[in-house]
């Protein structure tokens, strides 16, 4: 699907969509319980639907309504080596591999898009020496299948901290279900620490005991049971960042339903925009950003790479040079987002370049517009659509349906706030 977005301005009040990161975690905790859980303020997407499919493979029942999801844990008997269709969701894949080993003796994981190319060697190197069988089959169309067979044993686990925090979360979900106690240590430097804390918060809400012995070193008692806990999913800071960055470039959108105590790393968008020169107004659960005199700066994206593309767009209009460092993990997403961001900005008339794991941007007065490839990546669709607002001419975006992965209503929201599309 091709969408054309036109120059203009977004204006109005927007309720932030539900946090996808929290939704994954709450869904899993609910599915591992022996009761019935309702998660309110829920937004379904391709990624959360992947988690729902995998919960069903574990024997849970998942039913969606308009703004909530009802989950009943362990309604059906689990199969041995069940099929887990992860779609293109990296979180789903990494969360469920340890759970499959713990609960089903393994499983067959279907991976679509670029998911089969995203690193899984942390688990492979951790599990194979203990006897787990591990086979990855890659298809010619980019799809892949991962088959794991064996069991997860209680023990002392050590993970590197400079990889995705999803590996840490996957073990945190599974280790409480083992018969005996385990320890889990994450060696520094620890990336995306906020998302590890988000997982621990969800676990504790479900009455799972975790003892912190030292920073990022936990003792996890075995033989535990997840308790059914109803939850309200907080607003998503990574999606809100799209509109807040639009504000920094001249739009006027007030975003509500955002927790100021959030553990989401992408809340850092506020500090980043402030560092660039934008004015930030917050009140209770409401945020509004006003354009200021934007000046180039250096921003470290290690802990919140998902908001780097939108910040790169804001940097494109900042005076002087900006550097977004720590962007290496952008290369391992639905597309190579580091390269994709640079390509989109330059095709629209910007001045950006890759420098190893950094994006270097020279500020410009305006962007021209044109045709861009979304690389079938939802973040690139958001980037291009917001860029269109500040271009001299329309922007044509290919494969705009990629937005369904995380925010299916995005284009509707864009239009409701005054954005023009065709």
């Amino acid at each position: 699907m091709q969408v054309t977005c036109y120059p203009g301005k977004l204006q109005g009040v927007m309720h932030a969509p539900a946090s996808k990161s929290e939704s994954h975690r709450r869904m899993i905790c609910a599915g591992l319980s022996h009761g019935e859980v309702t998660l309110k303020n829920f937004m379904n997407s391709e990624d959360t639907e992947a988690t729902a499919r995998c919960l069903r493979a574990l024997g849970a029942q998942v039913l969606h309504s308009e703004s909530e999801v009802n989950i009943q844990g362990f309604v059906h008997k689990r199969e041995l080596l069940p099929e887990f269709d992860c779609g293109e969701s990296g979180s789903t894949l990494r969360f469920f591999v340890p759970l499959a080993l713990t609960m089903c003796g393994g499983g067959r994981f279907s991976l679509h898009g670029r998911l089969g190319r995203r690193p899984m060697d942390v688990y492979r190197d951790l599990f194979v020496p203990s006897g787990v069988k591990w086979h990855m089959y890659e298809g010619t169309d980019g799809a892949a299948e991962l088959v794991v067979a064996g069991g997860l044993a209680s023990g002392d686990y050590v993970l590197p901290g400079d990889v995705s925090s999803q590996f840490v979360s996957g073990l945190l979900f599974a280790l409480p279900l083992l018969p005996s106690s385990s320890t889990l240590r994450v060696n520094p430097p620890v990336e995306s620490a906020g998302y590890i804390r988000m997982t621990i918060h969800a676990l504790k809400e479900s009455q799972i005991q975790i003892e912190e012995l030292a920073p990022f070193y936990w003792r996890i008692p075995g033989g535990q049971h997840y308790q059914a806990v109803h939850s309200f999913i907080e607003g998503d800071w990574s999606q809100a960042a799209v509109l807040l960055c639009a504000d920094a470039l001249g739009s006027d959108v007030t975003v509500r339903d955002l927790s100021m105590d959030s553990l989401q790393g992408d809340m850092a968008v506020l500090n980043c925009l402030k560092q660039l020169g934008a004015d930030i107004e917050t009140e209770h659960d409401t945020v509004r950003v006003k354009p200021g005199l934007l000046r180039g700066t250096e921003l470290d994206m290690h802990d919140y790479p998902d908001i780097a593309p939108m910040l790169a767009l804001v940097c494109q209009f900042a005076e002087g040079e900006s550097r977004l460092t720590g962007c290496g993990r952008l290369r391992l997403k639905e597309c190579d987002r580091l390269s994709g961001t640079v390509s989109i900005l330059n095709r629209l008339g910007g001045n950006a370049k890759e420098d190893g794991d950094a994006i270097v941007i020279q500020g410009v007065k305006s962007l021209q517009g044109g045709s861009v490839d979304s690389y079938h990546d939802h973040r690139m669709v958001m980037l291009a659509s917001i860029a269109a607002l500040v271009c001299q001419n329309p922007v044509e975006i290919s494969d705009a349906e990629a937005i369904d992965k995380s925010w299916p209503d995005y284009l509707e929201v864009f239009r409701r706030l005054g954005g023009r599309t065709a």
Side-chain angles (χ1 to χ4, degrees):
M1 175 180 71
Q2 179 173 294
V3 170
T4 301
C5 296
Y6 292 86
K9 180 178 179 179
L10 302 183
Q11 190 168 10
V13 177
M14 170 62 193
H15 294 269
S19 166
K20 182 162 67 78
S21 298
E22 186 181 1
S23 295
H24 282 302
R25 290 159 172 79
R26 295 290 185 174
M27 291 174 71
I28 290 172
C29 287
L32 295 177
S33 74
H34 290 271
E36 181 176 341
V37 171
T38 298
L39 303 178
K40 294 184 179 294
N41 191 41
F42 180 81
M43 180 186 71
N44 201 22
S45 65
E46 290 182 353
D47 277 4
T48 55
E49 185 55 39
T51 290
R53 287 194 300 268
C54 291
L55 285 174
R56 293 183 186 109
L58 288 180
Q61 182 181 79
V62 184
L63 299 174
H64 299 288
S65 64
E66 184 175 352
S67 61
E68 63 183 43
V69 60
N70 181 274
I71 300 174
Q72 292 182 300
F74 305 125
V75 174
H76 306 290
K77 183 178 180 180
R78 296 187 299 276
E79 301 176 1
L80 290 177
L81 297 178
E83 299 276 349
F84 296 92
D85 184 352
C86 297
E88 296 185 55
S89 175
S91 297
T92 304
L93 171 63
R94 289 163 175 167
F95 291 166
F96 276 88
V97 166
L99 287 171
L101 291 171
T102 300
M103 302 173 69
C104 315
R108 306 177 71 91
F109 292 83
S110 297
L111 321 177
H112 303 276
R114 282 171 48 97
L115 184 54
R117 304 174 192 171
R118 295 174 71 171
M120 288 293 289
D121 52 316
V122 172
Y123 279 161
R124 182 196 63 202
D125 296 344
L126 195 65
F127 298 150
V128 169
S130 64
V132 170
K133 296 180 180 178
W134 182 285
H135 299 286
M136 176 75 81
Y137 305 93
E138 296 187 20
T140 57
D141 58 353
E145 182 179 74
L146 170 65
V147 180
V148 295
L152 190 67
S154 305
D156 300 317
Y157 289 88
V158 180
L159 291 178
D162 58 350
V163 297
S164 172
S165 64
Q166 294 164 356
F167 295 109
V168 182
S169 291
L171 282 172
L172 286 170
F173 284 125
L175 293 178
L177 301 173
L178 298 176
S180 303
S181 297
S182 299
T183 62
L184 174 59
R185 183 195 299 273
V186 184
N187 289 330
V190 180
E191 294 193 3
S192 300
Y195 291 96
I196 298 174
R197 288 191 285 270
M198 184 186 296
T199 300
I200 291 175
H201 179 71
L203 290 170
K204 289 184 174 181
E205 287 283 305
S206 297
Q207 305 302 306
I208 295 297
Q209 298 178 36
I210 297 179
E211 179 185 359
E212 187 167 5
L213 305 176
F216 301 103
Y217 179 35
W218 308 277
R219 177 183 175 273
I220 305 164
Q224 298 192 62
H225 300 281
Y226 283 77
Q227 300 300 311
V229 178
H230 303 295
S231 300
F232 183 92
I233 307 298
E234 69 177 48
D236 194 307
W237 276 98
S238 64
Q239 315 295 41
V242 177
L243 301 176
L244 298 178
C245 286
D247 282 354
L249 296 172
S251 287
D252 185 14
V253 179
T254 299
V255 185
R256 292 181 173 171
D257 297 337
L258 291 171
S259 171
M260 299 303 148
D261 298 319
S262 178
L263 296 174
Q264 297 177 52
D266 293 337
M267 184 179 174
V269 67
L270 297 183
N271 288 332
C272 293
L273 290 175
K274 185 176 181 179
Q275 190 172 333
L276 282 163
D279 295 323
I280 312 296
E281 297 179 355
T282 62
E283 183 178 358
H284 302 301
D285 66 346
T286 300
V287 181
R288 185 182 181 191
V289 174
K290 293 184 177 180
L293 180 59
L294 300 177
R295 297 187 181 277
T297 189
E298 181 169 317
L299 302 172
D300 185 353
M301 298 285 101
H302 267 107
D303 286 338
Y304 26 86
D306 283 345
I307 60 175
M310 293 307 308
L311 287 170
L313 173 62
V314 178
C315 289
Q316 191 63 89
F317 285 86
E319 181 180 340
E321 181 178 283
S322 296
R323 291 181 63 88
L324 303 184
T325 62
C327 295
R329 280 193 291 144
L330 287 177
R331 298 191 184 279
L332 306 174
K333 300 291 186 175
E334 285 77 1
C335 74
D336 180 343
R337 282 185 193 158
L338 195 158
S339 178
T341 297
V342 169
S343 175
I344 287 174
L345 292 178
N346 288 338
R347 284 187 64 85
L348 296 178
N351 186 345
K353 68 177 182 180
E354 302 177 42
D355 183 12
D357 286 345
I359 301 175
V360 181
I361 303 159
Q362 301 294 333
V364 298
K365 297 296 184 182
S366 65
L367 295 177
Q368 298 306 307
S371 299
V372 298
D373 191 342
S374 74
Y375 306 101
H376 204 70
D377 188 314
H378 53 128
R379 301 289 177 190
M380 299 296 97
V381 176
M382 298 179 201
L383 169 63
S385 62
I386 299 301
L389 297 172
V390 288
C391 284
Q392 300 298 313
N393 300 292
V395 174
E396 296 178 352
I397 310 168
S398 68
D399 290 334
E401 69 274 8
I403 198 66
D404 292 343
K405 188 174 191 295
S406 65
W407 195 353
D409 296 335
Y410 172 74
L411 290 174
E412 179 183 335
V413 170
F414 183 86
R415 289 187 284 264
R416 191 164 66 241
L417 292 171
R420 294 188 299 129
T421 68

